[in-house]
Amino acid sequence: MIQIENVSKWYGAFQVLADCTTSVQRGEVVVVCGPSGSGKSTLIKCINGLEPYQKGRITVDGIDVGDPKTRLSKVRAGIGIDNIALAQLHVLKRSKEEVYARSRELLSRVGLTDKEKAMPVDLSGGQQQRVAIARALALDPKAMLFDEPTSALDPEMIKEVLDVMVELAREGMTMVVVTHEMGFARRVANRIVFMDHGRILEDAETDRFFDSPQTNRACEFLSKILSH
């Protein structure tokens, strides 16, 4: 579904990604983790063309993200749409009846049936994040990318959002998730990609990564993050 080959990126003279190579199979859940500034968020933004990269190749379901001829709107369908209905009306050209039926179904799926008429200001942080997930799902995506979806939430709201993501994983959604939630990673991810200083240092099945990390840097990271 997603192929990343020798991707490098610079901000001026600073190299933020260095020869990153990995792939995500259809239906797989991959968690990308690592210390702050390791390049995780940049890598995920490169996947859907939100950040350009200077070297290497990324393909999403066979579409070359870096090709100037590629319509990135196809790759990142659903990002930046104001509400669940608009994306379906204007991008998928669904009828209003279809749109509102699908919107209600998606709100139910993320546990927010009673918030159909709510404005963003009326929603908690966890509810806003779940609406964002529903908005992305409205375009029937082939894969979902999450960039630290729980970073600004309190513990109760974190569980709300992670429960929705766990359910998506169970349903076979292809997912790449940048997160520090190691409990979620251990429970849901098929693989862990560990990054530091713009490089992928480990790319391993979840149990192997947690039980026997191969690099000192990953051991150090896990000892710090799992002790909290």
Side-chain angles (χ1 to χ4, degrees):
M1 175 63 74
I2 300 168
Q3 188 75 38
I4 300 169
E5 303 169 65
N6 304 113
V7 168
S8 294
K9 175 178 174 61
W10 288 261
Y11 291 124
F14 176 69
Q15 187 166 12
V16 66
L17 295 176
D19 288 316
C20 293
T21 296
T22 188
S23 61
V24 182
Q25 304 306 311
R26 197 177 302 275
E28 193 172 33
V29 178
V30 174
V31 162
V32 183
C33 63
S36 295
S38 59
K40 321 180 286 293
S41 292
T42 303
L43 183 65
I44 210 170
K45 286 172 184 167
C46 287
I47 292 173
N48 66 354
L50 285 174
E51 289 275 7
Y53 48 93
Q54 286 78 43
K55 183 180 162 223
R57 189 167 186 254
I58 298 176
T59 55
V60 177
D61 201 25
I63 300 170
D64 188 337
V65 176
D67 186 335
K69 296 191 292 292
T70 294
R71 280 178 54 222
L72 288 175
S73 57
K74 277 185 70 178
V75 179
R76 63 167 94 107
I79 290 175
I81 301 293
D82 286 331
N83 68 38
I84 300 169
L86 279 180
Q88 301 174 76
L89 282 168
H90 297 298
V91 181
L92 297 186
K93 309 295 186 195
R94 288 174 174 156
S95 72
K96 282 191 174 179
E97 292 75 17
E98 285 179 287
V99 164
Y100 291 116
R102 178 71 170 140
S103 297
R104 280 191 287 271
E105 176 194 327
L106 289 169
L107 283 174
S108 171
R109 190 168 169 184
V110 299
L112 291 173
T113 311
D114 59 330
K115 300 296 183 185
E116 187 179 338
K117 302 275 194 278
M119 300 298 288
V121 71
D122 302 322
L123 301 175
S124 70
Q127 290 169 338
Q128 287 179 25
Q129 191 64 276
R130 285 187 281 156
V131 168
I133 292 171
R135 195 166 59 225
L137 289 172
L139 290 178
D140 303 326
K142 293 169 180 169
M144 293 276 284
L145 308 177
F146 295 89
D147 188 3
E148 303 203 21
T150 60
S151 62
L153 304 179
D154 67 35
E156 194 172 304
M157 292 177 189
I158 287 172
K159 184 179 184 308
E160 290 177 11
V161 174
L162 293 181
D163 284 349
V164 171
M165 294 170 66
V166 167
E167 196 55 40
L168 285 177
R170 285 198 185 120
E171 292 169 7
M173 174 63 75
T174 306
M175 294 160 62
V176 184
V177 186
V178 172
T179 186
H180 289 296
E181 298 291 336
M182 292 297 103
F184 167 82
R186 191 152 206 172
R187 181 179 169 197
V188 175
N190 302 102
R191 281 192 4 261
I192 306 290
V193 169
F194 175 74
M195 296 183 69
D196 191 30
H197 289 100
R199 294 186 180 278
I200 293 176
L201 298 189
E202 304 214 16
D203 185 347
E205 290 186 359
T206 301
D207 287 344
R208 201 192 103 194
F209 175 76
F210 281 103
D211 297 339
S212 54
Q214 302 297 296
T215 61
N216 290 336
R217 191 67 190 91
C219 289
E220 185 186 334
F221 174 78
L222 284 172
S223 70
K224 283 181 180 172
I225 205 161
L226 294 176
S227 63
H228 290 295

